[in-house]
């Protein structure tokens, strides 16, 4: 860790986790998370309005906890990064508003970054700089994507994506059918270890010779599993929960890893990075490692805590933006629930609009007396 590396705070509020991370270059200093998942559990899924309110309540305490853990003052920061999209509109708005307030109060540059690109960049905190290009498989409750990233700050190319349910969404829905609660991923992973992955021949979506090579579909699998369970219950037979969990999980990770390795081979890329919440799944990690080794591909998967949504990943991408002199965002930055992955960050319309010292940006806003006094009181 070098003292002259950018020190950046990242804010993540795309769904139900309020994440605040602080990094210096590629070194993680703090990763504070406040989750509202328990509040959503009784509804069987994330309720956007509840998530937004939880972010409002958790934001300032989580930022203060991260600063304390990192042992720094907010004024020491070189920039503020925030997830601008994609995600839940209301949840994103809370994070973007907070980031803009801190950036303005501290007179620091603001970087609105892409949630998916952040999931890729977080691997730098554990395994060092990303190779260029990097092939990334991102799997979560909202996304199942294959991405090629020649430059994580400016050039991210979609190779394939889910055409219906994301992998994590399918895990949650099958867990609900099995009456296992929410979220479904961890409990299915745990039960699958005690089941037979070959017990039931569940379908592998979009794996035919005429199907899109890199796209995913889990809706048909979800329906097939649900109908299999329903047939058992209708016949008055006991549902072998562990075997169902193992067979369903195997169908998902088989398709994910098969297509990811194929994309690496086709593009001549010798590295595969896996991220997103489902990347914490033990079987996905094991099968990916096995198939990558056979194909001569180096697998990079962050530890489980960095796979789920967190502020560290946003800070990591923000630090990379600073290091590569990417233009900061305007204070007029908006949350964009459908921000395309081809936009790793949202630059300002003109570099003169972005604020900050020591990075070539001039502050383009006139401050009235009330604002100046409030800034002084906030971080004196």
């Amino acid at each position: 860790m070098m003292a002259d590396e950018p020190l950046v705070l990242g804010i993540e509020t795309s769904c139900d986790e309020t994440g605040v991370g602080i990094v210096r270059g590629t070194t993680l200093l703090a990763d504070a998370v406040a989750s509202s998942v328990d509040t959503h559990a009784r509804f069987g899924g994330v309720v956007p309005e509840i998530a937004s309110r939880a972010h409002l309540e958790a934001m300032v305490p989580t930022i203060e906890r991260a600063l304390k853990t990192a042992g720094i003052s907010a004024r020491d920061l070189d920039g503020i990064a925030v997830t601008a999209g994609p995600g839940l509109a209301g949840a994103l708005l809370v994070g973007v508003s907070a980031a803009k307030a801190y950036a303005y109060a501290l007179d620091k540059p603001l970087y609105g970054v892409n949630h998916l690109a952040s999931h890729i960049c977080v691997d730098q905190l554990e395994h060092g700089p990303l190779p260029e290009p990097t092939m990334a498989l991102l799997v979560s409750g909202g996304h199942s994507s294959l991405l090629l990233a020649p430059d994580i700050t400016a050039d991210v190319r979609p190779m394939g994506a889910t055409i219906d349910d994301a992998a994590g969404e399918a895990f949650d829905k099958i867990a609900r059918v099995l009456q296992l609660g929410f979220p479904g991923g961890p409990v299915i992973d745990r039960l699958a270890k005690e089941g037979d992955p070959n017990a039931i021949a569940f379908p592998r979506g979009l794996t035919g010779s005429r199907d899109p090579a890199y796209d995913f579909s889990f809706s048909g699998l979800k329906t097939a599993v649900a109908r299999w369970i329903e047939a058992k219950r209708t016949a008055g037979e006991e549902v072998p929960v562990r075997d169902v969990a193992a067979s369903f999980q195997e169908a998902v990770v088989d398709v994910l890893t098969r297509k990811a390795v194929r994309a690496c081979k086709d593009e001549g890329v010798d590295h595969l990075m896996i991220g997103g919440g489902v990347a914490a799944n033990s079987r996905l990690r094991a099968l990916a490692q096995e198939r990558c080794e056979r194909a001569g591909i180096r697998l990079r998967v962050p530890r489980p805590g960095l796979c789920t949504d967190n502020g560290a990943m946003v800070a990591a991408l923000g630090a990379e933006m600073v290091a590569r002199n990417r233009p900061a965002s305007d204070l007029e930055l908006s949350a964009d629930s459908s921000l395309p992955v081809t936009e790793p960050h949202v630059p300002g319309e003109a570099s003169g609009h972005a604020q900050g010292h020591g990075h070539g940006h001039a502050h383009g806003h006139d401050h009235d007396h009330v604002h100046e006094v409030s800034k002084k009181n906030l971080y004196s």
Side-chain angles (χ1 to χ4, degrees):
M1 181 174 63
M2 303 292 291
D4 59 348
E5 291 181 312
L7 181 64
V8 175
L9 180 144
I11 297 174
E12 155 60 25
T13 62
S14 66
C15 194
D16 59 334
E17 270 102 14
T18 306
V20 179
I22 298 174
V23 306
R24 185 182 292 280
T26 58
T27 302
L28 178 62
L29 303 182
D31 182 22
V33 177
S35 176
S36 60
V37 65
D38 291 342
T39 307
H40 301 283
R42 63 192 180 101
F43 300 102
V46 176
V47 181
E49 179 62 21
I50 292 176
S52 300
R53 291 179 180 273
H55 289 312
L56 279 171
E57 295 174 1
M59 182 59 63
V60 173
T62 308
I63 289 176
E64 291 179 346
R65 178 154 53 97
L67 290 169
K68 183 177 180 180
T69 300
I72 65 167
S73 163
R75 289 201 175 279
D76 297 329
L77 296 167
D78 295 313
I80 308 288
V82 62
T83 298
L88 301 175
L92 288 168
L93 186 60
V94 175
V96 169
S97 297
K100 288 161 69 172
Y102 276 87
Y104 178 80
L106 296 165
D107 201 21
K108 303 293 183 181
L110 172 70
Y111 296 88
V113 302
N114 190 291
H115 178 80
L116 299 181
S118 297
H119 267 303
I120 301 174
C121 198
V122 74
D123 191 59
Q124 294 197 151
L125 303 180
E126 191 157 9
H127 300 122
L130 290 170
E132 295 182 339
T134 286
M135 185 69 72
L137 171 65
L138 299 185
V139 278
S140 67
H143 306 280
S144 295
S145 304
L146 264 174
L147 306 169
L148 182 65
D151 180 344
I152 193 59
T153 66
D155 186 5
V156 179
R157 306 170 189 177
M159 300 289 293
T162 182
I163 64 171
D164 42 55
D165 290 354
E169 184 180 2
F171 271 90
D172 288 338
K173 289 181 177 178
I174 295 306
R176 190 179 306 136
V177 174
L178 290 171
Q179 301 174 346
L180 299 176
F182 175 84
V187 65
I188 286 181
D189 188 9
R190 186 174 68 252
L191 291 174
K193 293 175 182 177
E194 303 172 6
D196 179 1
N198 300 309
I200 310 161
F202 289 133
R204 269 67 165 162
L206 293 187
T207 55
S209 59
R210 297 185 179 181
D211 290 324
Y214 310 130
D215 284 342
F216 304 101
S217 173
F218 298 109
S219 180
L221 169 62
K222 176 201 67 180
T223 301
V225 176
R227 286 179 176 172
W228 194 94
I229 295 170
E230 182 182 4
K232 283 288 184 181
R233 289 172 175 165
T234 300
E237 300 178 20
E238 183 179 354
V239 176
V241 175
R242 288 167 175 76
D243 286 346
V244 171
S247 299
F248 160 73
Q249 177 176 269
E250 192 70 14
V252 174
V253 303
D254 177 25
V255 174
L256 290 171
T257 56
R258 189 189 313 182
K259 294 203 171 199
V261 170
R262 177 178 178 178
C264 288
K265 289 181 176 179
D266 290 350
E267 294 296 320
V269 178
D270 63 358
H271 285 72
L272 173 65
M273 181 269 168
I274 302 182
V278 181
N281 180 275
S282 62
R283 180 55 183 157
L284 175 60
R285 287 169 172 253
L287 187 57
Q289 185 66 52
E290 176 185 323
R291 287 180 167 171
C292 282
E293 286 180 357
R294 286 206 303 262
I297 297 168
R298 180 184 171 191
L299 180 66
R300 294 168 57 124
V301 189
R303 62 181 181 272
L306 292 179
C307 289
T308 53
D309 293 348
N310 59 81
M313 68 186 199
V314 179
L317 184 52
E320 197 65 24
M321 296 291 176
V322 176
R324 299 195 187 196
N325 294 314
R326 300 303 182 204
S329 304
D330 295 332
L331 282 177
E332 289 77 17
L333 174 70
S334 298
D336 184 349
S337 60
S338 57
L339 184 68
V341 71
T342 50
E343 298 181 24
H345 87 302
V346 184
E349 293 183 5
S351 60
H353 289 178
Q355 73 279 35
H357 300 297
H359 298 284
H361 300 297
H363 201 300
H365 297 272
D366 293 327
H367 301 160
D368 59 31
H369 177 68
V370 175
H371 285 154
E372 291 295 346
V373 170
S374 64
K375 288 169 66 177
K376 181 178 179 181
N377 291 342
L378 194 56
Y379 290 107
S380 56

